[in-house]
Amino acid sequence: MSQETEHIKCLIIGSGPAGYTAAIYASRADLKPVMYTGLLAGGQLTQTTEVENFPGYPEGIMGPELMEDFRKQAERLGTDIRFGYVSSVDFTSLPHKVVIDDVKTITADTVIIATGASAKWLGLESEEKYSGFGVSACAVCDGFFFKGQDVAIVGAGDTAAEEATYLAKLTRKVYMIVRRDEFRASKAMVHRVLNTPNIEILYNTETKEILGDGQSVTGVKVTNNQTNVDTDLDVTGFFVAIGHHPNTDIFKGWLNMDETGYIITRPGSTETNVEGVFCCGDAQDHIYRQAVTAAGTGCMAAIDAERYLAAKEHVVTA
């Protein structure tokens, strides 16, 4: 049972590029936003190393440092940033009710959801050990660091096929590890992979262990699940492309979602099916999943929230 209640104009759930950008714009619009960061303050970028593709940082920047800059800017402009997680929501009526840490109830005129998504991993201890040091879940983010080197990518869907062809443009060779004897990707994507000469497909193959020297990846041990023969691949990069899981479970039953849990927003906006609730970043984007696009939708969400509140304040009654 909640013991404390607070009413606010604009609640932002989640941090990361989307949440912090929403906070910056909401603060400038005098919405007096309150942000609850979630358990991973700063989002996925706090678990990466160097970021070279975010505009405005010509020399690149470390992921945690970039998110610290976002946080400082949001705070300077007036965002009330709090550490905490959302334990339940009630979007039955206005204002919306959100329970924080099972003890505090927030009533909010607008809610901006920026809870992001988490990459699906294989679950290997060595995978976790070398995450950010040769192991990555984003070829577009990190492929540049492996120019001219040999890498491996695991996955068989459209994302894996697309990322394999992307890596093939940068690297000397790409080993594509496919668990079954066929792809799950579309015919067009499979055709593209098969016609890329420096991609070698290893069918019926599973990853046993990421090999390294304690500092970075030096190879990967794979096994053929038909013959049980192990092989060591000499690679310096290992990419996981088996999908992402949006961090949206708490909103199931309240918001419209696709079959994988991404929140559906109205085309051209961040509006959800619930009045006054907006969604931005990777919680609603399963296509681009970049920091810069997340930041863009965070801007959109704050503007949508501000316009929504302005329209409510200026309703003309007969």
Side-chain angles (χ1 to χ4, degrees):
M1 194 74 178
S2 299
Q3 302 167 345
E4 188 184 347
T5 302
E6 178 185 7
H7 180 75
I8 60 176
K9 189 181 287 188
C10 178
L11 171 67
I12 300 172
I13 304 173
S15 40
Y20 282 134
T21 304
I24 289 165
Y25 275 79
S27 294
R28 285 172 54 83
D30 199 31
L31 300 189
K32 299 179 174 54
V34 172
M35 168 189 283
Y36 279 92
T37 63
L39 298 179
L40 183 62
Q44 293 182 78
L45 276 182
T46 60
Q47 298 180 315
T48 64
T49 51
E50 193 168 3
V51 178
E52 290 204 323
N53 57 2
F54 198 88
Y57 294 89
E59 304 303 320
I61 186 170
M62 301 300 283
E65 187 182 351
L66 175 62
M67 295 323 303
E68 181 66 10
D69 285 349
F70 269 74
R71 184 190 65 79
K72 287 177 180 176
Q73 188 173 2
E75 278 191 326
R76 183 178 70 81
L77 292 169
T79 304
D80 182 351
I81 299 175
R82 306 172 183 176
F83 181 77
Y85 71 96
V86 172
S87 44
S88 66
V89 301
D90 182 351
F91 295 155
T92 305
S93 59
L94 294 170
H96 301 299
K97 295 184 180 64
V98 175
V99 178
I100 306 296
D101 299 333
D102 289 315
V103 297
K104 178 173 181 173
T105 297
I106 297 282
T107 60
D109 296 324
T110 56
V111 176
I112 295 176
I113 296 166
T115 48
S118 302
K120 293 179 181 177
W121 298 95
L122 298 174
L124 302 172
E125 189 175 319
S126 53
E127 177 187 50
E128 185 176 350
K129 178 179 180 180
Y130 290 107
S131 178
F133 299 94
V135 173
S136 170
C138 181
V140 175
C141 309
D142 300 325
F144 177 83
F145 300 114
F146 300 91
K147 264 189 166 181
Q149 301 174 44
D150 294 349
V151 301
I153 184 167
V154 59
D158 278 346
T159 298
E162 187 173 343
E163 296 209 335
T165 54
Y166 177 85
L167 289 168
K169 296 174 185 175
L170 299 170
T171 62
R172 184 171 55 187
K173 181 165 188 175
V174 179
Y175 294 100
M176 194 166 184
I177 302 167
V178 178
R179 185 163 52 91
R180 300 188 300 175
D181 60 358
E182 61 181 1
F183 283 88
R184 290 183 291 104
S186 63
K187 288 183 179 179
M189 290 306 303
V190 172
H191 179 77
R192 195 185 301 179
V193 168
L194 295 177
N195 283 276
T196 304
N198 60 331
I199 296 178
E200 180 179 339
I201 305 163
L202 305 176
Y203 292 108
N204 298 310
T205 300
E206 298 181 38
T207 305
K208 287 188 76 173
E209 188 179 0
I210 312 300
L211 308 174
D213 59 8
Q215 301 294 318
S216 57
V217 171
T218 59
V220 57
K221 183 183 291 293
V222 298
T223 186
N224 184 296
N225 55 33
Q226 301 296 304
T227 63
N228 294 321
V229 173
D230 291 350
T231 305
D232 288 354
L233 306 176
D234 291 325
V235 297
T236 52
F238 182 77
F239 292 84
V240 182
I242 57 175
H244 284 73
H245 177 73
N247 304 320
T248 58
D249 288 352
I250 199 73
F251 307 110
K252 283 182 178 173
W254 297 104
L255 301 178
N256 291 341
M257 302 180 182
D258 68 12
E259 64 278 1
T260 52
Y262 287 93
I263 293 171
I264 297 171
T265 52
R266 188 172 65 80
S269 85
T270 61
E271 296 173 4
T272 69
N273 60 295
V274 174
E275 179 185 342
V277 177
F278 307 89
C279 184
C280 55
D282 286 9
Q284 53 85 50
D285 172 24
H286 60 90
I287 298 173
Y288 300 103
R289 298 196 307 268
Q290 299 298 302
V292 69
T293 50
T297 58
C299 160
M300 292 167 60
I303 292 173
D304 287 343
E306 191 255 336
R307 289 176 177 171
Y308 165 78
L309 289 171
K312 293 281 283 186
E313 289 171 6
H314 293 90
V315 171
V316 178
T317 55

